[in-house]
Amino acid sequence: MSGVPNWRGFRVSLDDLVFVGSGLNRPECVLCNAAGNIYTADWRGGVACTRSDGTSELFAGRHPRADLVLRPNGIALRRSGAFLVAQLGADDGGVYELSREGGVRPFLEAIDGRPLEPTNFVYEDALGRVWLTISSRHRPRHLAFRADIADGFIALVDGGGARIVADDIGYTNEVGIDPTGEWLYVNETFGRRLSRFPVRGNGDLGAKEVVAQFGSGTFPDGLTFDVEGGVWITSVVSNRVIRVAPDGTQTLLIEDADPGHLAEVEAAYVAGKMDRPHLEKMTGRRLKNISSLAFGGPDRRTAYLGCLLGDSIASFRAPIAGAAPPHWRYP
């Protein structure tokens, strides 16, 4: 593999992590662009921007409904410089567009007349199509933190409107189209799978294929791609980064987990009793429940890690460049 003769020999030391940004609030999703900006979802009601010169800015707005608060989970950078945010409210979902001036307007609130459940992730591809994920139809969502529940779905918004294109997914999390443009990958967090669907010309998806099944302690959340076709996965709870090679081989690149807590969570998961507190306890030595990953820097070889419980972004140098995301050249 180009520049990386032996993936098994590569491991990130926790002592080599560098933290950027400060004062962030639940930076669950992270994006980078060629300008050197690091964008993160922020529960102060918008998107935080941490710049390469160390300065920062919060693009925040109010939910169109006065009785609700904007709770961005997944975010997408648009060609215009605005953002799409996936609303992960306690009882409400949908996707909203946020301008840098603080304007917020509904992008998608319902499909076929049915209001969207709390919405996990939103992704705009190179063709301008918007994909979004609903992790589960259960309310509250923690009732679906189980291996035997698969009621999440993927929806697509394109020129023909909005429609569900894949259903019965084991807690749908981040999605992304691979660099070939032929496959849509998805993490099934509590199904413990990385799966993919062939993307047809009209945006419909073909039959699902399981790319990787993960074992004890791994709950795949975020994903991104490298230039050699590898998929990089972040796992909540265990603070793991795993690279899945094109042939399905898994390489653990980093882990920061307390064995006792991991065993407790694993036992609860196997018993079908996993709950919110299992995700809200911070037990890593340096990482704070990592949830997403984006490659940035001039050479796209700096990996930035979004997280659920921290107020800054951990980063490390990768031995390979990330593939350029659709928004790489956007402002």
Side-chain angles (χ1 to χ4, degrees), residues 178-208:
D178 78 332
T180 71
E182 298 176 356
W183 298 92
L184 180 81
Y185 283 71
V186 59
N187 273 332
E188 301 185 64
T189 300
F190 296 108
R192 287 193 178 180
R193 292 182 293 271
L194 170 65
S195 301
R196 69 178 187 177
F197 300 85
V199 182
R200 296 172 178 155
N202 63 356
D204 288 347
L205 300 179
K208 183 175 79 172

Short mmCIF file of all heavy atoms in Angstrom, two decimals, residues 178-208:
data_model
loop_
_atom_site.label_atom_id
_atom_site.label_comp_id
_atom_site.label_asym_id
_atom_site.label_seq_id
_atom_site.Cartn_x
_atom_site.Cartn_y
_atom_site.Cartn_z
N ASP A 178 -18.49 6.52 -1.39
CA ASP A 178 -17.05 6.27 -1.52
C ASP A 178 -16.49 7.03 -2.72
O ASP A 178 -17.24 7.55 -3.55
CB ASP A 178 -16.76 4.78 -1.61
CG ASP A 178 -17.05 4.19 -2.98
OD1 ASP A 178 -17.92 4.72 -3.69
OD2 ASP A 178 -16.41 3.19 -3.34
N PRO A 179 -15.16 7.15 -2.81
CA PRO A 179 -14.56 7.95 -3.89
C PRO A 179 -14.90 7.48 -5.30
O PRO A 179 -14.80 8.28 -6.25
CB PRO A 179 -13.06 7.81 -3.61
CG PRO A 179 -12.97 7.61 -2.13
CD PRO A 179 -14.16 6.75 -1.80
N THR A 180 -15.32 6.23 -5.47
CA THR A 180 -15.71 5.77 -6.81
C THR A 180 -17.07 6.30 -7.22
O THR A 180 -17.42 6.29 -8.40
CB THR A 180 -15.75 4.23 -6.88
OG1 THR A 180 -16.88 3.75 -6.12
CG2 THR A 180 -14.47 3.62 -6.36
N GLY A 181 -17.86 6.74 -6.24
CA GLY A 181 -19.22 7.20 -6.51
C GLY A 181 -20.21 6.07 -6.70
O GLY A 181 -21.38 6.32 -6.99
N GLU A 182 -19.77 4.84 -6.50
CA GLU A 182 -20.62 3.69 -6.79
C GLU A 182 -21.33 3.12 -5.57
O GLU A 182 -22.32 2.41 -5.71
CB GLU A 182 -19.78 2.58 -7.44
CG GLU A 182 -19.17 2.99 -8.77
CD GLU A 182 -18.26 1.92 -9.34
OE1 GLU A 182 -18.06 0.88 -8.65
OE2 GLU A 182 -17.76 2.10 -10.47
N TRP A 183 -20.82 3.43 -4.37
CA TRP A 183 -21.34 2.80 -3.16
C TRP A 183 -21.66 3.82 -2.08
O TRP A 183 -20.88 4.75 -1.85
CB TRP A 183 -20.33 1.80 -2.59
CG TRP A 183 -19.99 0.67 -3.50
CD1 TRP A 183 -18.96 0.62 -4.40
CD2 TRP A 183 -20.68 -0.58 -3.61
NE1 TRP A 183 -18.97 -0.58 -5.05
CE2 TRP A 183 -20.00 -1.35 -4.58
CE3 TRP A 183 -21.78 -1.14 -2.95
CZ2 TRP A 183 -20.42 -2.63 -4.93
CZ3 TRP A 183 -22.20 -2.42 -3.28
CH2 TRP A 183 -21.51 -3.15 -4.27
N LEU A 184 -22.77 3.62 -1.41
CA LEU A 184 -23.10 4.39 -0.22
C LEU A 184 -22.82 3.50 0.99
O LEU A 184 -23.41 2.43 1.13
CB LEU A 184 -24.57 4.82 -0.20
CG LEU A 184 -24.98 5.64 1.03
CD1 LEU A 184 -24.56 7.09 0.85
CD2 LEU A 184 -26.47 5.54 1.31
N TYR A 185 -21.89 3.96 1.84
CA TYR A 185 -21.54 3.21 3.04
C TYR A 185 -22.33 3.75 4.24
O TYR A 185 -22.64 4.95 4.30
CB TYR A 185 -20.05 3.34 3.33
CG TYR A 185 -19.17 2.47 2.46
CD1 TYR A 185 -18.99 2.76 1.10
CD2 TYR A 185 -18.51 1.36 2.98
CE1 TYR A 185 -18.19 1.95 0.30
CE2 TYR A 185 -17.70 0.55 2.19
CZ TYR A 185 -17.55 0.85 0.86
OH TYR A 185 -16.75 0.05 0.06
N VAL A 186 -22.63 2.87 5.20
CA VAL A 186 -23.38 3.28 6.39
C VAL A 186 -22.89 2.49 7.59
O VAL A 186 -22.59 1.30 7.49
CB VAL A 186 -24.89 3.07 6.20
CG1 VAL A 186 -25.24 1.62 5.88
CG2 VAL A 186 -25.68 3.55 7.43
N ASN A 187 -22.80 3.15 8.72
CA ASN A 187 -22.52 2.47 9.97
C ASN A 187 -23.83 2.11 10.65
O ASN A 187 -24.70 2.97 10.83
CB ASN A 187 -21.70 3.37 10.91
CG ASN A 187 -20.21 3.24 10.68
OD1 ASN A 187 -19.72 2.21 10.25
ND2 ASN A 187 -19.48 4.31 10.97
N GLU A 188 -23.95 0.84 11.04
CA GLU A 188 -25.09 0.38 11.83
C GLU A 188 -24.56 0.19 13.26
O GLU A 188 -23.99 -0.84 13.59
CB GLU A 188 -25.63 -0.93 11.26
CG GLU A 188 -26.11 -0.82 9.81
CD GLU A 188 -26.77 -2.09 9.31
OE1 GLU A 188 -27.82 -2.47 9.85
OE2 GLU A 188 -26.20 -2.72 8.41
N THR A 189 -24.76 1.22 14.07
CA THR A 189 -24.06 1.29 15.36
C THR A 189 -24.33 0.09 16.26
O THR A 189 -23.41 -0.54 16.77
CB THR A 189 -24.42 2.60 16.08
OG1 THR A 189 -24.03 3.70 15.26
CG2 THR A 189 -23.67 2.71 17.41
N PHE A 190 -25.59 -0.21 16.49
CA PHE A 190 -25.89 -1.30 17.41
C PHE A 190 -26.16 -2.62 16.67
O PHE A 190 -26.39 -3.64 17.32
CB PHE A 190 -27.03 -0.90 18.35
CG PHE A 190 -26.63 0.25 19.22
CD1 PHE A 190 -27.16 1.52 19.01
CD2 PHE A 190 -25.67 0.09 20.20
CE1 PHE A 190 -26.76 2.60 19.78
CE2 PHE A 190 -25.26 1.16 20.98
CZ PHE A 190 -25.81 2.42 20.77
N GLY A 191 -26.09 -2.58 15.35
CA GLY A 191 -25.96 -3.81 14.58
C GLY A 191 -24.51 -4.21 14.46
O GLY A 191 -24.19 -5.30 14.01
N ARG A 192 -23.61 -3.28 14.87
CA ARG A 192 -22.16 -3.50 14.84
C ARG A 192 -21.66 -3.87 13.45
O ARG A 192 -20.82 -4.75 13.29
CB ARG A 192 -21.75 -4.58 15.83
CG ARG A 192 -21.83 -4.14 17.25
CD ARG A 192 -21.12 -5.14 18.13
NE ARG A 192 -21.17 -4.67 19.49
CZ ARG A 192 -20.63 -5.30 20.53
NH1 ARG A 192 -20.00 -6.42 20.35
NH2 ARG A 192 -20.72 -4.84 21.73
N ARG A 193 -22.15 -3.15 12.45
CA ARG A 193 -21.76 -3.46 11.08
C ARG A 193 -21.40 -2.19 10.33
O ARG A 193 -21.98 -1.13 10.55
CB ARG A 193 -22.92 -4.13 10.32
CG ARG A 193 -23.29 -5.51 10.79
CD ARG A 193 -24.40 -6.08 9.92
NE ARG A 193 -25.66 -5.35 10.08
CZ ARG A 193 -26.58 -5.64 11.00
NH1 ARG A 193 -26.39 -6.64 11.85
NH2 ARG A 193 -27.70 -4.94 11.08
N LEU A 194 -20.46 -2.33 9.40
CA LEU A 194 -20.27 -1.38 8.32
C LEU A 194 -20.87 -2.03 7.09
O LEU A 194 -20.46 -3.13 6.69
CB LEU A 194 -18.77 -1.09 8.09
CG LEU A 194 -18.43 -0.28 6.83
CD1 LEU A 194 -19.00 1.13 6.91
CD2 LEU A 194 -16.92 -0.25 6.61
N SER A 195 -21.88 -1.38 6.52
CA SER A 195 -22.56 -1.94 5.35
C SER A 195 -22.48 -0.96 4.19
O SER A 195 -22.08 0.20 4.36
CB SER A 195 -24.03 -2.23 5.68
OG SER A 195 -24.14 -3.14 6.77
N ARG A 196 -22.84 -1.44 3.01
CA ARG A 196 -22.85 -0.56 1.85
C ARG A 196 -23.96 -0.98 0.89
O ARG A 196 -24.40 -2.13 0.90
CB ARG A 196 -21.51 -0.55 1.13
CG ARG A 196 -21.14 -1.84 0.42
CD ARG A 196 -19.80 -1.71 -0.29
NE ARG A 196 -19.51 -2.89 -1.12
CZ ARG A 196 -18.45 -3.01 -1.90
NH1 ARG A 196 -17.56 -2.02 -1.97
NH2 ARG A 196 -18.26 -4.10 -2.63
N PHE A 197 -24.39 0.00 0.08
CA PHE A 197 -25.41 -0.22 -0.94
C PHE A 197 -24.90 0.30 -2.28
O PHE A 197 -24.31 1.39 -2.33
CB PHE A 197 -26.69 0.56 -0.61
CG PHE A 197 -27.34 0.19 0.69
CD1 PHE A 197 -26.92 0.78 1.88
CD2 PHE A 197 -28.41 -0.70 0.72
CE1 PHE A 197 -27.55 0.47 3.08
CE2 PHE A 197 -29.04 -1.02 1.92
CZ PHE A 197 -28.61 -0.43 3.11
N PRO A 198 -25.12 -0.41 -3.38
CA PRO A 198 -24.80 0.16 -4.68
C PRO A 198 -25.76 1.32 -4.97
O PRO A 198 -26.96 1.23 -4.69
CB PRO A 198 -25.01 -1.01 -5.65
CG PRO A 198 -25.92 -1.95 -4.93
CD PRO A 198 -25.65 -1.79 -3.48
N VAL A 199 -25.21 2.41 -5.51
CA VAL A 199 -26.02 3.59 -5.81
C VAL A 199 -26.37 3.58 -7.29
O VAL A 199 -25.49 3.58 -8.16
CB VAL A 199 -25.26 4.89 -5.47
CG1 VAL A 199 -26.14 6.11 -5.74
CG2 VAL A 199 -24.81 4.88 -4.01
N ARG A 200 -27.65 3.57 -7.59
CA ARG A 200 -28.11 3.59 -8.98
C ARG A 200 -28.17 5.03 -9.49
O ARG A 200 -28.11 5.98 -8.73
CB ARG A 200 -29.47 2.91 -9.08
CG ARG A 200 -29.41 1.42 -8.72
CD ARG A 200 -30.77 0.79 -8.65
NE ARG A 200 -30.66 -0.64 -8.34
CZ ARG A 200 -31.59 -1.36 -7.76
NH1 ARG A 200 -32.74 -0.79 -7.41
NH2 ARG A 200 -31.41 -2.66 -7.53
N GLY A 201 -28.29 5.16 -10.79
CA GLY A 201 -28.25 6.48 -11.41
C GLY A 201 -29.31 7.43 -10.91
O GLY A 201 -29.09 8.65 -10.87
N ASN A 202 -30.47 6.89 -10.54
CA ASN A 202 -31.56 7.75 -10.07
C ASN A 202 -31.53 7.96 -8.55
O ASN A 202 -32.45 8.55 -7.98
CB ASN A 202 -32.91 7.15 -10.46
CG ASN A 202 -33.17 5.81 -9.81
OD1 ASN A 202 -32.32 5.26 -9.11
ND2 ASN A 202 -34.37 5.27 -10.03
N GLY A 203 -30.47 7.49 -7.88
CA GLY A 203 -30.34 7.65 -6.45
C GLY A 203 -30.89 6.50 -5.64
O GLY A 203 -30.66 6.42 -4.43
N ASP A 204 -31.63 5.60 -6.28
CA ASP A 204 -32.10 4.41 -5.56
C ASP A 204 -30.91 3.55 -5.16
O ASP A 204 -29.84 3.62 -5.77
CB ASP A 204 -33.06 3.60 -6.43
CG ASP A 204 -34.41 4.27 -6.59
OD1 ASP A 204 -34.70 5.23 -5.84
OD2 ASP A 204 -35.17 3.84 -7.48
N LEU A 205 -31.11 2.74 -4.13
CA LEU A 205 -30.05 1.88 -3.64
C LEU A 205 -30.36 0.42 -3.93
O LEU A 205 -31.52 -0.01 -3.84
CB LEU A 205 -29.86 2.07 -2.13
CG LEU A 205 -29.50 3.49 -1.67
CD1 LEU A 205 -29.38 3.54 -0.15
CD2 LEU A 205 -28.20 3.97 -2.32
N GLY A 206 -29.32 -0.35 -4.26
CA GLY A 206 -29.48 -1.78 -4.46
C GLY A 206 -29.44 -2.53 -3.15
O GLY A 206 -29.59 -1.95 -2.06
N ALA A 207 -29.21 -3.81 -3.23
CA ALA A 207 -29.21 -4.67 -2.05
C ALA A 207 -28.02 -4.38 -1.14
O ALA A 207 -26.91 -4.12 -1.61
CB ALA A 207 -29.19 -6.13 -2.47
N LYS A 208 -28.27 -4.44 0.15
CA LYS A 208 -27.21 -4.17 1.13
C LYS A 208 -26.18 -5.29 1.17
O LYS A 208 -26.51 -6.46 1.08
CB LYS A 208 -27.84 -4.01 2.52
CG LYS A 208 -26.83 -3.65 3.60
CD LYS A 208 -27.51 -3.38 4.94
CE LYS A 208 -27.86 -4.67 5.66
NZ LYS A 208 -28.34 -4.40 7.04
#
